[in-house]
Amino acid sequence: MAASAQSLVDQSSNEVKDYICNACEDSNNAETSADFYCKQCERFYCGNCIDPHGKAFAKHTAFGRLDIDKWPVSKKVVDFLLTCYEHKDNKVDKFCTTHRQLCCPQCVSNYHSQCSKVTQISELTNSQPTGLEGLSVELETVLGEIKTLQISQKASIQSLQRTYKEHSAVMIEQMLGNLNTYIDECDNSSVGTSGGNEQYLKEEMCRSVLSIVNEFDNITAKELNEMKDEVISIKESVTSSIHKCTTLHNDLSQFHELVQKIGDNKELCLIASIKCKHIIQQALTLLGKSGKAFNVQRKSVHNVRIPSDSYECSIAGICVLTDGQLLVADWKNKRIKLLNQQYQVVNHWDVTAGPWDICLITSSEVAVAVNDHDSKIHEVQFITVNQGKLVSGRKFQLQHECTCITHHQGDLFVTSGKELYKYTLSGKLICSLYQDRSADLTVERCAVSPTGDRLYIISYWQHKLLTLARDGTLLATYTDPAIQLPRCLHVTPAGQVLVCGYLSDTVQQVGWEGESKLANLATKEDGVSFPESVCYSSTTSSIIVGLYRDDNILVFRVE
């Protein structure tokens, strides 16, 4: 893609300087901020230069900054709007309709010479709307949402740090409790013992205490270190997101000021509108409100069965690692399988019961929902990918069924089939967010938006997709005849919602509001048969679909 599409965000948000005093600029080439504008002279003056001007031209009218709406567009603003993002010495003068990009002559030569329609900006002003009133309102709205996201992300970091400290305190308290209990038992058993036996008890007591301490060092300390690494990794990711928010907020604020100053210059209005909408789209993507519908380009099929599998595969969950590798939860064979970027199984790990779902925690760690109704196994198992190997980590038990698990900035969301719960990474139950006990599998699967402000739930037998607010309030209900028995659900990093119909053999994209269909992406004719899981890979721009009782996964390359 042409670098001319580069955004302000990529340029580290260089601030546009304000109006410059023309008198200072003429006399000593200094860039002094202007405080007044003379309509008759069509020049700007600072506080020092306005007095000599007033004495020389007593009848001229000068407008101060309180009347800035009467000032013309400054040269700095004009230069900023016209300057090409990539070729700083060139001015944009054309627009490529194919790529929806502003172009300078160098851009046209390098990237758009084969494009069918590259039009002069001056020609577009007659056919394109150039008013900025609506854009100003949209900017204000997005600015508020970005600020809210920043606050939420900072709160997430604080919550993560509290979770780790609380879990660490509980682990240490448990060790001290074990020590005190053993010491009390020793005190009780030592009453009335002879000297020889007393010496033996002291030695035995030392060995036991040492054993308890070693167990803490080898097991609990390892668990705490794992959690600490998770917290650090998630904190780095959230901090990076906060930085993007800050940069975008600065760019949006800057444009919000600019659109107030442009006036009725049609060409500048159009250029500002195009550039501004590009920034707004980046902000909406960061907010998880991308309205872009996927377009399927091609399909490929990949076998994930391994020789030691006892049954046909049933891929109940899929998770994409940051390096493009996949982890799939093979429910029937009770295995987590690691797939390389060519979708070949390179390693696997057996779990105690059927893995119903899997989600990413850090760049190399996942959490698996392990569940078996008959044997009453309900647990969350953490697994780390280390140099192509799967390594089992800590686990915690649940007091309810676990049909799905998803993660957002230190919070784990787990469904039981009838209820949605929120847990910490250490396994502490925070709250029940939503429940529906009217039937079975009313809360079977869950996904969370990139910003964490929306939760999506599948109600299986009711053929519904529910959208909840962060606190569990129902926001929207979606049904479609093309989605029969919705079984799997996924939200992309840009907020695009993917839903699969188990009985209707469909993969559909729904709007981020959870109210409308954007596209039917795949059907039975494309090989979709009883889909059980779906996931999007940003690395390969692909949608991966897992199937019930099928050794293959389907990979749809999308744009």
Side-chain angles (χ1 to χ4, degrees), residues 1-7 10 86 96 98-102 107 110-112 115 278 292 559:
M1 184 60 65
S4 54
Q6 183 183 11
S7 72
D10 302 320
E86 182 177 2
C96 175
T98 304
H99 295 99
R100 307 295 299 172
Q101 289 176 10
L102 292 165
C107 290
N110 291 355
Y111 311 117
H112 304 280
C115 295
H278 186 65
K292 179 185 176 184
E559 285 187 351

Side-chain angles (χ1 to χ4, degrees), residues 11-288:
Q11 303 180 75
S12 301
S13 190
N14 294 321
E15 184 182 354
V16 179
K17 291 185 179 179
D18 207 345
Y19 296 85
I20 302 300
C21 175
N22 297 130
C24 289
E25 195 173 30
D26 292 343
S27 61
N28 54 19
N29 202 29
E31 289 194 350
T32 307
S33 180
D35 299 305
F36 298 91
Y37 169 69
C38 176
K39 187 174 182 180
Q40 285 81 3
C41 296
E42 295 185 347
R43 286 168 64 83
F44 298 95
Y45 299 93
C46 66
N48 293 327
C49 295
I50 192 64
D51 290 337
H53 169 269
K55 291 176 182 178
F57 304 99
K59 293 184 179 182
H60 283 198
T61 303
F63 297 104
R65 284 191 172 267
L66 291 177
D67 296 312
I68 200 168
D69 57 325
K70 297 177 182 177
W71 292 22
V73 182
S74 71
K75 183 177 181 298
K76 292 291 182 180
V77 170
V78 173
D79 288 344
F80 168 74
L81 289 175
L82 291 181
T83 300
C84 175
Y85 282 149
E86 182 177 2
H87 310 104
K88 303 298 183 183
D89 295 331
N90 292 348
K91 306 296 182 184
V92 294
D93 59 353
K94 294 181 177 66
F95 181 73
C96 175
T97 305
T98 304
H99 295 99
R100 307 295 299 172
Q101 289 176 10
L102 292 165
C103 314
C104 72
Q106 191 65 45
C107 290
V108 174
S109 174
N110 291 355
Y111 311 117
H112 304 280
S113 58
Q114 304 300 316
C115 295
S116 59
K117 196 169 185 181
V118 179
T119 310
Q120 289 285 343
I121 295 291
S122 57
E123 296 177 16
L124 285 176
T125 55
N126 296 324
S127 59
Q128 299 288 330
T130 55
L132 298 176
E133 295 82 6
L135 193 61
S136 180
V137 173
E138 189 174 2
L139 278 166
E140 288 180 3
T141 302
V142 176
L143 274 167
E145 292 178 343
I146 287 287
K147 191 64 179 178
T148 300
L149 178 57
Q150 283 178 296
I151 295 170
S152 171
Q153 289 173 327
K154 289 176 181 177
S156 294
I157 290 179
Q158 293 173 351
S159 176
L160 273 171
Q161 292 170 330
R162 281 197 305 271
T163 296
Y164 173 72
K165 288 178 180 178
E166 289 171 1
H167 191 60
S168 175
V170 168
M171 294 295 99
I172 293 172
E173 187 176 340
Q174 286 179 351
M175 182 193 72
L176 292 175
N178 292 338
L179 287 171
N180 289 330
T181 299
Y182 181 75
I183 291 171
D184 289 342
E185 291 174 353
C186 289
D187 285 342
N188 293 333
S189 61
S190 63
V191 175
T193 56
S194 61
N197 287 335
E198 184 177 349
Q199 180 62 32
Y200 172 78
L201 285 173
K202 286 182 179 179
E203 293 174 357
E204 182 65 24
M205 180 177 173
C206 288
R207 283 193 294 269
S208 297
V209 168
L210 185 61
S211 175
I212 293 172
V213 173
N214 286 338
E215 182 179 5
F216 180 86
D217 287 340
N218 296 332
I219 299 176
T220 309
K222 180 189 175 192
E223 180 180 325
L224 288 174
N225 284 332
E226 287 177 358
M227 265 206 74
K228 184 178 180 180
D229 291 341
E230 286 172 5
V231 170
I232 291 172
S233 178
I234 295 169
K235 183 179 178 181
E236 288 174 352
S237 175
V238 177
T239 302
S240 174
S241 184
I242 291 174
H243 174 70
K244 291 177 183 176
C245 283
T246 303
T247 307
L248 269 172
H249 192 276
N250 292 340
D251 290 337
L252 290 165
S253 299
Q254 184 172 314
F255 263 103
H256 189 257
E257 292 179 11
L258 289 181
V259 298
Q260 316 299 321
K261 301 176 181 178
I262 294 174
D264 56 0
N265 186 312
K266 288 188 175 182
E267 287 191 28
L268 288 181
C269 284
L270 183 58
I271 292 170
S273 176
I274 293 169
K275 285 190 172 184
C276 190
K277 286 179 179 177
H278 186 65
I279 304 295
I280 288 175
Q281 186 54 52
Q282 292 187 42
L284 291 176
T285 299
L286 185 65
L287 289 165

Side-chain angles (χ1 to χ4, degrees), residues 468-479:
L468 311 178
R470 190 194 303 267
D471 62 0
T473 303
L474 181 64
L475 298 177
T477 301
Y478 174 76
T479 59

Side-chain angles (χ1 to χ4, degrees), residues 415 417-420 433-438 441-449 453-470 472-480 483 486 488-491 497-499 510-516:
T415 60
K418 295 183 179 181
E419 200 156 359
L420 172 64
L433 283 168
Y434 180 84
Q435 68 175 21
D436 182 352
R437 300 186 177 279
S438 62
L441 301 181
T442 52
V443 188
E444 188 192 14
R445 294 286 178 128
C446 172
V448 61
S449 69
D453 62 337
R454 286 177 307 283
L455 297 157
Y456 303 93
I457 286 176
I458 279 178
S459 184
Y460 183 71
W461 291 112
Q462 286 73 29
H463 316 287
K464 293 178 181 178
L465 170 69
L466 307 179
T467 303
L468 311 178
R470 190 194 303 267
T473 303
L474 181 64
L475 298 177
T477 301
Y478 174 76
T479 59
D480 188 306
I483 298 294
C488 37
L489 176 67
H490 177 73
V491 180
V497 183
L498 305 176
V499 185
V510 178
W512 64 268
E513 305 95 332
E515 297 177 339
S516 60

